[in-house]
Short mmCIF file of all heavy atoms in Angstrom, two decimals:
data_model
loop_
_atom_site.label_atom_id
_atom_site.label_comp_id
_atom_site.label_asym_id
_atom_site.label_seq_id
_atom_site.Cartn_x
_atom_site.Cartn_y
_atom_site.Cartn_z
N ALA A 244 -3.81 -14.21 1.83
CA ALA A 244 -3.90 -12.84 2.30
C ALA A 244 -5.27 -12.27 1.95
O ALA A 244 -5.84 -11.58 2.77
CB ALA A 244 -2.79 -12.02 1.63
N THR A 245 -5.88 -12.61 0.82
CA THR A 245 -7.18 -12.12 0.42
C THR A 245 -8.23 -12.58 1.42
O THR A 245 -9.05 -11.78 1.89
CB THR A 245 -7.54 -12.57 -0.99
OG1 THR A 245 -6.55 -12.06 -1.89
CG2 THR A 245 -8.93 -12.00 -1.41
N LEU A 246 -8.15 -13.85 1.88
CA LEU A 246 -9.05 -14.33 2.84
C LEU A 246 -8.96 -13.60 4.16
O LEU A 246 -9.99 -13.19 4.73
CB LEU A 246 -8.89 -15.90 3.07
CG LEU A 246 -9.17 -16.79 1.93
CD1 LEU A 246 -8.72 -18.16 2.24
CD2 LEU A 246 -10.68 -16.78 1.65
N GLY A 247 -7.74 -13.42 4.62
CA GLY A 247 -7.50 -12.75 5.91
C GLY A 247 -7.87 -11.25 5.86
O GLY A 247 -8.51 -10.72 6.81
N VAL A 248 -7.42 -10.59 4.77
CA VAL A 248 -7.72 -9.13 4.70
C VAL A 248 -9.17 -8.91 4.46
O VAL A 248 -9.71 -7.90 5.01
CB VAL A 248 -6.87 -8.51 3.54
CG1 VAL A 248 -7.28 -7.09 3.27
CG2 VAL A 248 -5.33 -8.56 3.86
N ALA A 249 -9.89 -9.74 3.82
CA ALA A 249 -11.32 -9.50 3.63
C ALA A 249 -12.02 -9.53 4.92
O ALA A 249 -12.89 -8.67 5.24
CB ALA A 249 -11.93 -10.64 2.72
N ASP A 250 -11.67 -10.43 5.87
CA ASP A 250 -12.24 -10.49 7.16
C ASP A 250 -11.93 -9.23 7.94
O ASP A 250 -12.75 -8.65 8.63
CB ASP A 250 -11.71 -11.70 7.97
CG ASP A 250 -12.29 -13.02 7.48
OD1 ASP A 250 -13.40 -13.00 6.83
OD2 ASP A 250 -11.69 -14.07 7.74
N VAL A 251 -10.66 -8.79 7.89
CA VAL A 251 -10.29 -7.51 8.59
C VAL A 251 -11.02 -6.34 8.06
O VAL A 251 -11.55 -5.55 8.88
CB VAL A 251 -8.72 -7.36 8.47
CG1 VAL A 251 -8.33 -6.00 8.98
CG2 VAL A 251 -8.01 -8.44 9.21
N LEU A 252 -11.07 -6.17 6.78
CA LEU A 252 -11.76 -4.99 6.15
C LEU A 252 -13.22 -4.99 6.48
O LEU A 252 -13.85 -3.98 6.70
CB LEU A 252 -11.49 -4.92 4.72
CG LEU A 252 -10.03 -4.60 4.26
CD1 LEU A 252 -9.88 -4.56 2.75
CD2 LEU A 252 -9.51 -3.39 4.93
N ALA A 253 -13.90 -6.21 6.39
CA ALA A 253 -15.29 -6.28 6.80
C ALA A 253 -15.54 -5.85 8.21
O ALA A 253 -16.53 -5.21 8.52
CB ALA A 253 -15.83 -7.73 6.56
N ARG A 254 -14.63 -6.24 9.10
CA ARG A 254 -14.78 -5.84 10.46
C ARG A 254 -14.43 -4.34 10.71
O ARG A 254 -15.21 -3.66 11.40
CB ARG A 254 -13.81 -6.64 11.33
CG ARG A 254 -13.87 -6.34 12.85
CD ARG A 254 -12.94 -7.20 13.68
NE ARG A 254 -11.56 -7.23 13.24
CZ ARG A 254 -10.66 -6.39 13.49
NH1 ARG A 254 -10.94 -5.29 14.17
NH2 ARG A 254 -9.40 -6.57 13.12
N LEU A 255 -13.44 -3.79 10.08
CA LEU A 255 -13.04 -2.44 10.27
C LEU A 255 -13.93 -1.43 9.51
O LEU A 255 -14.09 -0.34 9.96
CB LEU A 255 -11.58 -2.18 9.85
CG LEU A 255 -10.46 -2.92 10.62
CD1 LEU A 255 -9.12 -2.66 10.02
CD2 LEU A 255 -10.46 -2.49 12.12
N GLN A 256 -14.44 -1.83 8.32
CA GLN A 256 -15.24 -0.96 7.49
C GLN A 256 -14.57 0.41 7.32
O GLN A 256 -15.21 1.43 7.65
CB GLN A 256 -16.65 -0.82 8.01
CG GLN A 256 -17.39 -2.19 8.04
CD GLN A 256 -18.83 -2.07 8.54
OE1 GLN A 256 -19.23 -0.99 9.00
NE2 GLN A 256 -19.54 -3.15 8.37
N PRO A 257 -13.42 0.47 6.78
CA PRO A 257 -12.76 1.77 6.58
C PRO A 257 -13.38 2.65 5.53
O PRO A 257 -14.06 2.06 4.64
CB PRO A 257 -11.35 1.44 6.18
CG PRO A 257 -11.49 0.11 5.51
CD PRO A 257 -12.63 -0.61 6.21
N ASP A 258 -13.27 3.95 5.62
CA ASP A 258 -13.81 4.87 4.64
C ASP A 258 -12.95 4.79 3.35
O ASP A 258 -13.47 5.03 2.22
CB ASP A 258 -13.77 6.29 5.14
CG ASP A 258 -14.72 6.48 6.28
OD1 ASP A 258 -15.80 5.84 6.25
OD2 ASP A 258 -14.40 7.30 7.23
N ILE A 259 -11.68 4.50 3.46
CA ILE A 259 -10.75 4.35 2.37
C ILE A 259 -9.59 3.42 2.78
O ILE A 259 -9.30 3.36 3.95
CB ILE A 259 -10.26 5.74 1.94
CG1 ILE A 259 -9.52 5.65 0.56
CG2 ILE A 259 -9.35 6.35 2.97
CD1 ILE A 259 -9.36 6.98 -0.13
N LEU A 260 -9.04 2.79 1.75
CA LEU A 260 -7.87 1.89 2.05
C LEU A 260 -6.66 2.44 1.25
O LEU A 260 -6.74 2.66 0.07
CB LEU A 260 -8.22 0.43 1.58
CG LEU A 260 -7.12 -0.60 1.87
CD1 LEU A 260 -6.98 -0.85 3.35
CD2 LEU A 260 -7.32 -1.87 1.04
N LEU A 261 -5.62 2.63 1.98
CA LEU A 261 -4.35 3.07 1.40
C LEU A 261 -3.40 1.90 1.13
O LEU A 261 -3.14 1.16 2.05
CB LEU A 261 -3.67 4.14 2.28
CG LEU A 261 -2.40 4.70 1.74
CD1 LEU A 261 -2.68 5.69 0.64
CD2 LEU A 261 -1.62 5.46 2.88
N ILE A 262 -3.02 1.77 -0.08
CA ILE A 262 -2.01 0.74 -0.47
C ILE A 262 -0.90 1.41 -1.18
O ILE A 262 -0.99 2.56 -1.65
CB ILE A 262 -2.69 -0.39 -1.39
CG1 ILE A 262 -3.23 0.24 -2.61
CG2 ILE A 262 -3.71 -1.18 -0.58
CD1 ILE A 262 -3.85 -0.75 -3.63
N ILE A 263 0.24 0.73 -1.32
CA ILE A 263 1.39 1.32 -1.93
C ILE A 263 2.08 0.31 -2.86
O ILE A 263 2.14 -0.85 -2.69
CB ILE A 263 2.41 1.76 -0.81
CG1 ILE A 263 3.58 2.51 -1.36
CG2 ILE A 263 2.85 0.59 0.04
CD1 ILE A 263 4.45 3.25 -0.37
N ALA A 264 2.66 1.00 -3.95
CA ALA A 264 3.62 0.46 -4.78
C ALA A 264 3.24 -0.82 -5.58
O ALA A 264 2.16 -0.80 -6.17
CB ALA A 264 4.95 0.22 -3.99
N ASP A 265 4.00 -1.87 -5.50
CA ASP A 265 3.95 -2.91 -6.43
C ASP A 265 4.26 -4.34 -5.89
O ASP A 265 4.43 -5.27 -6.63
CB ASP A 265 4.99 -2.68 -7.54
CG ASP A 265 6.40 -2.52 -6.99
OD1 ASP A 265 6.65 -2.75 -5.78
OD2 ASP A 265 7.29 -2.05 -7.71
N ARG A 266 4.23 -4.46 -4.58
CA ARG A 266 4.38 -5.85 -3.98
C ARG A 266 3.18 -6.71 -4.32
O ARG A 266 2.08 -6.26 -4.18
CB ARG A 266 4.55 -5.71 -2.45
CG ARG A 266 5.81 -5.04 -2.00
CD ARG A 266 7.02 -5.90 -1.92
NE ARG A 266 6.78 -7.15 -1.19
CZ ARG A 266 7.59 -8.14 -1.16
NH1 ARG A 266 8.74 -8.02 -1.80
NH2 ARG A 266 7.30 -9.29 -0.55
N TYR A 267 3.45 -7.92 -4.69
CA TYR A 267 2.34 -8.82 -5.06
C TYR A 267 1.37 -9.04 -3.92
O TYR A 267 0.16 -9.25 -4.18
CB TYR A 267 2.90 -10.17 -5.61
CG TYR A 267 3.50 -11.07 -4.58
CD1 TYR A 267 2.76 -12.03 -3.83
CD2 TYR A 267 4.86 -11.02 -4.23
CE1 TYR A 267 3.30 -12.85 -2.89
CE2 TYR A 267 5.45 -11.83 -3.28
CZ TYR A 267 4.65 -12.74 -2.66
OH TYR A 267 5.24 -13.57 -1.70
N GLU A 268 1.79 -8.96 -2.68
CA GLU A 268 0.84 -9.06 -1.53
C GLU A 268 -0.17 -8.02 -1.55
O GLU A 268 -1.28 -8.22 -0.98
CB GLU A 268 1.62 -9.04 -0.20
CG GLU A 268 2.61 -10.16 0.03
CD GLU A 268 4.00 -9.72 -0.29
OE1 GLU A 268 4.24 -8.73 -0.96
OE2 GLU A 268 4.91 -10.42 0.17
N MET A 269 0.07 -6.86 -2.14
CA MET A 269 -0.88 -5.75 -2.18
C MET A 269 -2.11 -6.08 -3.07
O MET A 269 -3.14 -5.40 -2.95
CB MET A 269 -0.27 -4.48 -2.65
CG MET A 269 0.64 -3.77 -1.66
SD MET A 269 -0.24 -3.32 -0.21
CE MET A 269 1.17 -3.05 0.93
N LEU A 270 -1.99 -7.11 -3.92
CA LEU A 270 -3.17 -7.50 -4.67
C LEU A 270 -4.31 -7.94 -3.79
O LEU A 270 -5.49 -7.76 -4.08
CB LEU A 270 -2.82 -8.68 -5.67
CG LEU A 270 -1.84 -8.20 -6.84
CD1 LEU A 270 -1.35 -9.46 -7.48
CD2 LEU A 270 -2.50 -7.26 -7.77
N ALA A 271 -3.96 -8.63 -2.67
CA ALA A 271 -4.98 -9.13 -1.76
C ALA A 271 -5.87 -8.02 -1.11
O ALA A 271 -7.10 -8.08 -1.31
CB ALA A 271 -4.34 -9.93 -0.66
N PRO A 272 -5.28 -6.98 -0.50
CA PRO A 272 -6.17 -5.95 0.04
C PRO A 272 -6.91 -5.19 -1.01
O PRO A 272 -7.99 -4.79 -0.78
CB PRO A 272 -5.21 -5.04 0.85
CG PRO A 272 -3.82 -5.44 0.41
CD PRO A 272 -3.87 -6.78 -0.12
#
Side-chain angles (χ1 to χ4, degrees):
T245 302
L246 292 171
V248 172
D250 288 339
V251 170
L252 294 180
R254 179 176 52 80
L255 296 176
Q256 298 183 349
D258 294 326
I259 192 163
L260 183 70
L261 181 72
I262 57 175
I263 186 168
D265 56 10
R266 295 273 313 170
Y267 71 90
E268 296 97 344
M269 287 296 164
L270 292 169

